[in-house]
Amino acid sequence: MRTTSSTVLFVIVGGLCALGVVSIAIGDFTLRGLAIAGIPIAVGVLVYVLYRYPRVELHHRQLVLVNPLQTVTVPWNLVDGFDTHFGLGVRTHEKTFSSWPLAGKGKRWEKDEHDMRRLVDDPNPAVDTVLDRYAGLSDDDLANPGGKRTIQREWNLGIIVAGLLALVWAVLGIAALPS
């Protein structure tokens, strides 16, 4: 689950970056042009890493938070609660794990019954989906016989390496720009 705005941002920026790479390839099909093409490619890769790749997955027995650097798998029975002040934070006995893609929308102005304007929370529908899923879990879904299911964390090495390589390519491209 991702927000629609992150997908739209990725499609727009990815399209512009692809257009940039094509125009560089047509205009300067040399080794220098190849290096310079790393600049729009790095922008596209970084937007993918920061906005398109992160997601929240709702499974039968667990919640998976896929962030740019790390993936955290939390079994439903180990969830102690949620912090939704700035976005989705999953509280467990170990710590609170934050969800990168499901940030809070913040606040908005609303008129009350006396026509007075006040600042109220603007809920994120994707966060509400996670809360509804947790509220609808049965005792069987929350069971953990023998305590076999634990919180798992793993580094997203592929995404980290791709982001770093794109940054290095962009630095080479900036160095290759005519002065």
Side-chain angles (χ1 to χ4, degrees):
M1 164 181 346
R2 299 174 181 93
T3 60
T4 305
S5 60
S6 67
T7 302
V8 170
L9 176 70
F10 171 70
V11 168
I12 291 171
V13 172
L16 291 173
C17 291
L19 186 63
V21 170
V22 168
S23 68
I24 290 169
I26 291 172
D28 187 8
F29 196 67
T30 62
L31 195 54
R32 188 178 124 248
L34 178 64
I36 293 171
I39 297 169
I41 287 174
V43 170
V45 168
L46 290 177
V47 168
Y48 175 79
V49 167
L50 297 175
Y51 292 98
R52 181 69 184 146
Y53 179 74
R55 63 194 177 277
V56 173
E57 299 173 358
L58 304 175
H59 296 282
H60 180 67
R61 296 202 180 269
Q62 61 200 12
L63 169 71
V64 180
L65 305 172
V66 181
N67 292 324
L69 297 178
Q70 200 173 45
T71 297
V72 180
T73 304
V74 181
W76 288 113
N77 65 303
L78 296 180
V79 174
D80 292 335
F82 297 95
D83 179 14
T84 60
H85 185 68
F86 293 112
L88 179 67
V90 180
R91 285 194 319 268
T92 68
H93 64 285
E94 285 184 29
K95 67 182 253 182
T96 298
F97 298 99
S98 297
S99 166
W100 180 281
L102 298 186
K105 284 188 172 181
K107 306 269 185 188
R108 65 183 163 93
W109 287 100
E110 185 178 272
K111 288 186 178 182
D112 64 9
E113 63 275 357
H114 304 292
D115 259 354
M116 298 287 293
R117 289 176 44 132
R118 60 188 176 115
L119 200 57
V120 296
D121 287 329
D122 191 12
N124 185 332
V127 171
D128 291 341
T129 301
V130 175
L131 299 177
D132 291 344
R133 168 78 170 132
Y134 182 71
L137 292 173
S138 67
D139 290 339
D140 183 47
D141 294 330
L142 295 172
N144 188 13
K148 294 179 182 175
R149 291 185 301 175
T150 60
I151 297 172
Q152 298 173 353
R153 292 179 230 169
E154 59 187 59
W155 291 98
N156 299 327
L157 292 178
I159 288 296
I160 293 169
V161 169
L164 291 175
L165 287 175
L167 284 175
V168 168
W169 192 358
V171 168
L172 291 174
I174 291 170
L177 286 173
S179 41

